[in-house]
Amino acid sequence: MQLKLLCGNLCEKKHLRDFCFDSKQIQERFQSSNASLELIIFVPKQLFKSLDSPQIQEFDQKDMSAYKTLDFIYLPDKNQERIANDLQIPYFTSSRHTKIHKFILKMCKRLVFGLLDFVTMKLAYFCTKHKRENLVIVRTDAIGDYVLFRNFLPILSQQYGKITLIGNSAFLDLALGFDKAYLQKFIPLHPKEFERNVLYRIKTLYKLSTLRFHTLINPIFSRDRVSEVVSRAINAKEKIASIGDKSNLDTIEYNRFSQTYTLQIGCESGVMFEFERNAEFVSNLLQRPILPHFSMDIQTCEFTSDEIFSLPSPYVVFFIGASAPWRKWSIQNFYEVGLWHIKQGFYIVICGGKEDSQNGETLVNMLNTTQKKAINLCGKTSLRALARIVYNGNHLLSNETSCPHIAACLRHDINIYVVYNGNHLYRFIPYPKRIRDKYYAIFHPIIEKNLLAYGFISNYLQNPSKLDINCISAQSVIDLISTTLKNSKDYV
């Protein structure tokens, strides 16, 4: 596999040196996963003159056709960013170059928060301590991350006893609905508030600093500042984490936070699907092979009357929400696919968060001009209610977010269609068939052009993706759904 990379006009000699060093290391890690990778690095004329390396080639910026052959641009200037966006070329920009004042403010904020954290934890040291409990797990990342980890809770509970889970408040009702049998308690934490609200941060850290455990486990592979500060605050005799990667922390932060742990569990290099990455961590921790069935039993969850919706059948679920605007496929595209479904005899149940309510209403009004076959439930469902709706549906069309992960573990016999614009390919999407079949990812055309190359780019060179999700056409989604449903019993 060949990958053509351009060092942009903001790239200086020292950046190129670091980039080449990092690329070489990443190339070796990528090749360890049974894929060969040849990197071709281009640089602008002014930088090329100062170099003496046969591995680096000069790039003619006046030749627009040359840009079309590129797979990635590192540190482009504003003009090159515009070209990259026009041609849909993935690229990486650094806040140190584009928004230096924001970078300085961010560093000042971290310094102040670090001082406040230290004072808060020292004050909590003198207060009344709780009785020491067995195990606390820190899982402050997103809903989908929890869904891909939760099948390991029974195994860890069997080893250590009931678990105290410090988790993102976003998946509180999901955890208590499906996993309460393994939990001593769930301590909810709002990651964004923790990062932004000083009073909330101090109050939360003070509370956590009074807790005492025999063992703390932070299983997050891409550890971040929230999980690291929380892990550091808690009193535990043994603290365990994955060596993981540095995608959410710089090297200095990573090394500093790593001193928190008494044991760091090793991991294989390369890209691995997240459920199998979790299996690797737990297997290495308990020193025996572990790979549970990826599942979520709807029968174990008790639903309130507000969580049970009477819906017409057969229906398909459209999940129009996502964590960021650039991960959301347009309402017009969902409308075109919705019209096709209505013609096939399906009802459309539209789901999403509260912030998607207006878009959901717009989509319903567009679809219901002739037949009343669309229902807007955006912002009206808990995660447990959403799980029940997906479970009873015919199939799911969604942006790449938490909903497909919930659907994937609920039932293995329904089709899942995911519109994807390019984050962490092969780590979270698509599902390996050995774990879950009937999962269909609809890729951006740039990704389709070279899946392996983009797997390298999306995991090691850019975050988040700069690709326009609406370059994925409604017709390509319709064609895939039509073809795959005809080959299954779910076609109406």
Side-chain angles (χ1 to χ4, degrees):
M1 179 183 67
Q2 194 177 81
L3 193 62
K4 294 183 178 180
L5 312 175
L6 168 65
C7 291
N9 289 331
L10 292 181
C11 186
E12 300 174 8
K13 195 171 183 178
K14 60 179 181 179
H15 302 134
L16 177 61
R17 183 178 62 249
D18 293 342
F19 179 67
C20 289
F21 177 77
D22 291 342
S23 296
K24 184 177 179 181
Q25 285 192 318
I26 293 168
Q27 184 180 16
E28 291 172 354
R29 288 162 58 191
F30 192 83
Q31 287 173 340
S32 69
S33 58
N34 299 320
S36 61
L37 180 66
E38 178 190 0
L39 294 181
I40 301 176
I41 299 177
F42 296 92
V43 297
K45 184 176 182 179
Q46 66 273 17
L47 187 58
F48 182 74
K49 290 179 179 179
S50 64
L51 301 173
D52 183 19
S53 173
Q55 298 176 338
I56 297 175
Q57 301 180 29
E58 182 180 350
F59 184 78
D60 184 3
Q61 299 189 66
K62 295 179 181 180
D63 183 5
M64 286 302 296
S65 62
Y67 277 100
K68 295 179 181 180
T69 67
L70 296 174
D71 295 301
F72 185 79
I73 304 177
Y74 178 69
L75 295 180
D77 61 15
K78 290 296 182 182
N79 183 56
Q80 288 175 326
E81 273 192 51
R82 179 187 58 78
I83 293 171
N85 286 322
D86 289 344
L87 298 178
Q88 288 293 282
I89 304 170
Y91 63 92
F92 170 81
T93 57
S94 170
S95 59
R96 299 188 185 203
H97 295 85
T98 56
K99 300 174 183 177
I100 188 66
H101 64 289
K102 289 188 177 181
F103 173 77
I104 294 172
L105 287 174
K106 185 192 296 184
M107 293 300 104
C108 292
K109 178 183 173 182
R110 288 185 192 174
L111 183 64
V112 172
F113 272 21
L115 180 61
L116 288 173
D117 294 348
F118 176 79
V119 173
T120 301
M121 287 185 282
K122 285 298 181 183
L123 289 174
Y125 178 80
F126 297 102
C127 78
T128 304
K129 303 292 192 301
H130 291 78
K131 178 183 176 182
R132 196 175 293 277
E133 298 179 20
N134 288 331
L135 175 65
V136 59
I137 293 178
V138 178
R139 193 86 231 190
T140 52
D141 42 2
I143 299 168
D145 299 291
Y146 176 73
V147 172
L148 288 161
F149 176 76
R150 54 173 296 281
N151 286 121
F152 298 92
L153 292 176
I155 298 162
L156 292 170
S157 176
Q158 186 178 30
Q159 180 75 19
Y160 293 95
K162 283 206 168 185
I163 300 163
T164 296
L165 178 61
I166 300 174
N168 191 326
S169 57
F171 56 74
L172 170 63
D173 77 298
L174 195 72
L176 294 182
F178 289 93
D179 305 317
K180 63 182 178 181
Y182 316 110
L183 302 180
Q184 183 76 29
K185 68 179 76 167
F186 185 106
I187 300 175
L189 185 141
H190 300 260
K192 288 184 179 179
E193 282 292 294
F194 191 82
E195 287 281 71
R196 298 173 183 174
N197 187 320
V198 175
L199 292 178
Y200 176 80
R201 186 185 183 98
I202 292 173
K203 181 180 177 181
T204 302
L205 269 184
Y206 187 87
K207 176 183 176 181
L208 295 177
S209 297
T210 65
L211 302 177
R212 299 196 303 165
F213 297 90
H214 290 287
T215 304
L216 174 145
I217 297 176
N218 179 355
I220 299 173
F221 183 76
S222 298
R223 288 152 33 199
D224 58 18
R225 294 181 194 92
V226 174
S227 71
E228 295 303 276
V229 171
V230 168
S231 297
R232 186 175 58 184
I234 293 171
N235 183 322
K237 291 182 178 180
E238 183 181 36
K239 294 187 178 183
I240 304 168
S242 169
I243 287 178
D245 65 16
K246 302 175 187 175
S247 60
N248 292 325
L249 298 168
D250 61 42
T251 300
I252 294 174
E253 286 179 312
Y254 176 86
N255 292 336
R256 177 164 57 89
F257 283 127
S258 290
Q259 296 173 16
T260 298
Y261 303 100
T262 57
L263 175 64
Q264 288 188 274
I265 304 294
C267 55
E268 288 187 18
S269 60
V271 181
M272 186 181 294
F273 187 68
E274 193 73 357
F275 185 74
E276 294 176 319
R277 181 67 78 184
N278 289 326
E280 176 194 52
F281 173 79
V282 177
S283 296
N284 290 341
L285 172 64
L286 302 182
Q287 298 186 339
R288 55 189 169 91
I290 291 171
L291 185 63
H293 182 57
F294 182 60
S295 63
M296 183 185 288
D297 187 357
I298 199 76
Q299 305 302 325
T300 62
C301 185
E302 297 179 3
F303 297 95
T304 66
S305 57
D306 292 338
E307 293 176 323
I308 299 175
F309 294 87
S310 179
L311 298 171
S313 184
Y315 68 83
V316 56
V317 179
F318 282 10
F319 195 89
I320 64 172
S323 59
W326 43 265
R327 297 178 72 174
K328 296 182 180 182
W329 209 34
S330 74
I331 295 304
Q332 178 63 35
N333 282 326
F334 274 109
Y335 165 69
E336 292 179 30
V337 180
L339 278 184
W340 179 86
H341 276 89
I342 289 173
K343 290 177 182 177
Q344 311 310 310
F346 290 107
Y347 290 88
I348 311 291
V349 178
I350 302 162
C351 295
K354 290 181 180 179
E355 68 279 6
D356 302 304
S357 297
Q358 186 55 55
N359 280 338
E361 200 60 34
T362 300
L363 182 54
V364 162
N365 292 335
M366 292 168 68
L367 290 170
N368 284 346
T369 52
T370 55
Q371 302 180 64
K372 305 297 181 183
K373 300 199 74 172
I375 302 163
N376 178 24
L377 294 182
C378 290
K380 300 176 183 178
T381 67
S382 63
L383 282 181
R384 294 185 303 192
L386 174 64
R388 188 176 184 276
I389 290 167
V390 171
Y391 179 82
N392 291 312
N394 189 277
H395 55 275
L396 168 70
L397 171 64
S398 175
N399 297 311
E400 203 278 304
T401 184
S402 59
C403 189
H405 295 298
I406 294 172
C409 65
L410 275 171
R411 285 177 60 183
H412 285 221
D413 62 339
I414 63 171
N415 289 8
I416 299 172
Y417 304 94
V418 182
V419 184
Y420 167 78
N421 82 316
N423 286 294
H424 300 297
L425 181 62
Y426 298 125
R427 180 174 173 183
F428 294 100
I429 182 173
Y431 271 66
K433 290 185 181 296
R434 58 186 174 273
I435 293 176
R436 211 287 188 184
D437 200 2
K438 296 189 175 182
Y439 183 103
Y440 302 97
I442 304 103
F443 297 119
H444 187 285
I446 291 294
I447 302 173
E448 285 279 13
K449 185 174 71 173
N450 193 337
L451 280 172
L452 276 178
Y454 196 81
F456 175 88
I457 291 169
S458 67
N459 285 284
Y460 298 121
L461 296 179
Q462 72 161 5
N463 187 26
S465 170
K466 307 293 195 302
L467 299 177
D468 182 2
I469 194 170
N470 290 306
C471 288
I472 301 171
S473 69
Q475 189 57 51
S476 66
V477 174
I478 291 170
D479 290 344
L480 177 62
I481 295 175
S482 176
T483 301
T484 51
L485 286 187
K486 283 178 181 177
N487 296 328
S488 74
K489 63 181 180 180
D490 300 321
Y491 200 78
V492 176

